[in-house]
Amino acid sequence: MFGLVDCNNFYDSCERVFRPELEERPVVVLSNNDGCVVARSQEAKALGLKMGDPYFQVRPLIEQHGVVVCSSNYELYGDMSRRVMWYLQQTAPAVEVYSIDEAFLDLAGMTQHFDLGRWAGEVRGALRQRTGIPTCVGVAPTKTLAKLANKLAKTEFVGGRGAGVLVLSDEAERREALTRVAVEDVWGVGYRSAAKLHAVGVRTAAQLAGVGDAWARKNLGGVVGARLLHELRGFSCAGIVVEDEARKSLACTRSFGRPVTELADVAAAVASHATGAGEKLRRQGLAARLLTVFMETSRFAEVPPPYSFSAQLTMPVATDDTLTLAQVARKGLERIWRPGKRYVKAGVVLDGVERAGTGAQVSLFGDVGVTPERTGLMRAFDALNGRFGAGTVKVATSVAAPGQRQAWAMRRDAKSPAFTTNWGELWAVRC
DNA sequence: TCTGGGGTCCTAGGACCC
DNA sequence: TCTGGGGTCCTAGGACCC
């Protein structure tokens, strides 16, 4: 059996833990650059605000109803997520951290000894008490069914019914649950597949489970579709994946605060993203062999495609060295640079990720990349930024010329304090 | 004026290799 | 008349997830 623990309205719930005055009010959290709505409280959902709505479009509605607006505060959400995941890891035999607000639990072997419904209820209660975050739990024989059970548990819980837990333990319960979920709400059925399914009259998860395997293979992404049907029918096709073993790529990408036309500005952003990517690698003890640098123009402007330009470079040895990554990224950027365009986003993506130090090839030319001096330099770099704050030490090319504002800097006008990760922003309690 | 960021998996054609 | 099979690497894009 698999469990799926999913935090309710996660970003909103994180804000409410430290700002209880937001309780029962409509609240939205915006993406970087205050671009889109990415999280909504129940009250905000009731007003018709949708995931992904551009802020500038829904602003009148937000102001009309006095909706509280938060810029995204990933330091806070990341830290709250770690607390939730840590507790789950103390509690369940194996945990797959699926996203910032969700985890799959491997409950194999617990079926005979525990009442899983009761156990899941205790986990919910403990999480609420220890972290302040409300959750719902689905339990079922496959991951896809656990997601589906979670969805039903959440719908009932929000509607004032149910305990926030649903266990699908036998065939009758499984069949009944499938009839209550719309096909577009099944995990793995997106916008495109839903349209195809509607066109042939498939409306519910139960009907989807009954379509022919051949049809699914042809129309739902080949083997991906076939697996989906098996999982809905109760045959597990995917196990628990412990996160660290699984990481294959890693990225740092950002939209600019406003469109950028100069190479120096895009190059500064790219150097900053290469720095960020190097920090992520070292934090996780990883090194990468492939680096992709890309830049994009706006897909919403009246300019024909292409919108995206990228170059992938192979490094002689896997590296986690910021200066090497920044140099390689710069080389790639020069290769793809086209003047006369308004760029809105750039990024660095690392592939060919491996454990640092293991399996790393030795370069024929000896001194490429990993020297003790450079390893020491990076250690000092991380230590200084850790002690005195991110960005204390930077790559010079990422810094704007004296007196100039960074053309590409992000907008975050309504960010809450980093209540749990910054000494200067700790929550103040008056007695 | 203003439309996120970080992932996974899959496909496909051209260049190039043996 | 007749021109293989099996790879990797690169770029690009589609579909899906949270």
Side-chain angles (χ1 to χ4, degrees), chain A residues 107-160:
Chain A
L107 306 181
M110 287 181 66
T111 321
Q112 294 123 359
H113 310 293
F114 289 84
D115 174 339
L116 287 180
R118 194 173 145 192
W119 180 81
E122 288 168 5
V123 169
R124 279 193 78 233
L127 280 173
R128 182 73 204 243
Q129 188 196 357
R130 287 160 176 252
T131 67
I133 301 291
T135 55
C136 285
V137 186
V139 178
T142 72
K143 286 170 125 181
T144 306
L145 289 170
K147 287 280 286 188
L148 189 139
N150 185 281
K151 178 143 223 130
L152 288 171
K154 192 158 287 190
T155 307
E156 291 188 347
F157 182 71
V158 166

Side-chain angles (χ1 to χ4, degrees), chain A residues 366-426:
Chain A
D367 60 350
V368 190
V370 198
T371 63
E373 291 79 8
R374 284 293 269 273
T375 307
L377 179 62
M378 286 303 113
R379 201 167 294 143
F381 189 101
D382 292 336
L384 285 168
N385 286 333
R387 178 158 176 200
F388 298 107
T392 300
V393 187
K394 296 180 192 173
V395 174
T397 45
S398 72
V399 180
Q404 295 212 332
R405 191 179 162 276
Q406 274 183 343
W408 49 280
M410 196 180 2
R411 290 194 310 266
R412 279 210 289 194
D413 293 335
K415 194 174 85 66
S416 51
F419 291 110
T420 62
T421 54
N422 185 327
W423 289 113
E425 299 180 4
L426 289 186

Side-chain angles (χ1 to χ4, degrees), chain A residues 16 46 55 78 110 150 177 180 195 215 266 312 336 365 373 396 427:
Chain A
R16 283 184 175 181
Y55 179 43
M110 287 181 66
N150 185 281
R180 290 160 58 206
W215 192 90
V266 179
Q312 187 175 54
I336 58 176
F365 305 105
E373 291 79 8
W427 204 34

Side-chain angles (χ1 to χ4, degrees), chain A residues 40 51 54 84 94 120 170 178 183 201 218 220 225 281 285 330 342 364 407 412 416-417 426-427:
Chain A
R40 303 153 294 154
M51 177 76 175
V84 169
D170 65 35
L178 289 183
V183 73
K218 182 154 184 284
L220 299 178
L281 284 174
R330 171 75 194 208
R342 289 160 58 83
L364 190 59
R412 279 210 289 194
S416 51
L426 289 186
W427 204 34

Side-chain angles (χ1 to χ4, degrees), chain A residues 133-211:
Chain A
I133 301 291
T135 55
C136 285
V137 186
V139 178
T142 72
K143 286 170 125 181
T144 306
L145 289 170
K147 287 280 286 188
L148 189 139
N150 185 281
K151 178 143 223 130
L152 288 171
K154 192 158 287 190
T155 307
E156 291 188 347
F157 182 71
V158 166
R161 295 168 291 125
V165 174
L166 181 63
V167 182
L168 304 179
S169 52
D170 65 35
E171 187 57 18
E173 286 169 347
R174 184 188 68 83
R175 285 177 179 279
E176 193 272 334
L178 289 183
T179 64
R180 290 160 58 206
V181 173
V183 73
E184 62 269 26
D185 291 334
V186 173
W187 188 43
V189 176
Y191 173 75
R192 303 274 168 184
S193 302
K196 285 186 202 169
L197 288 161
H198 287 167
V200 296
V202 173
R203 296 269 158 196
T204 67
Q207 289 174 300
L208 175 58
V211 307

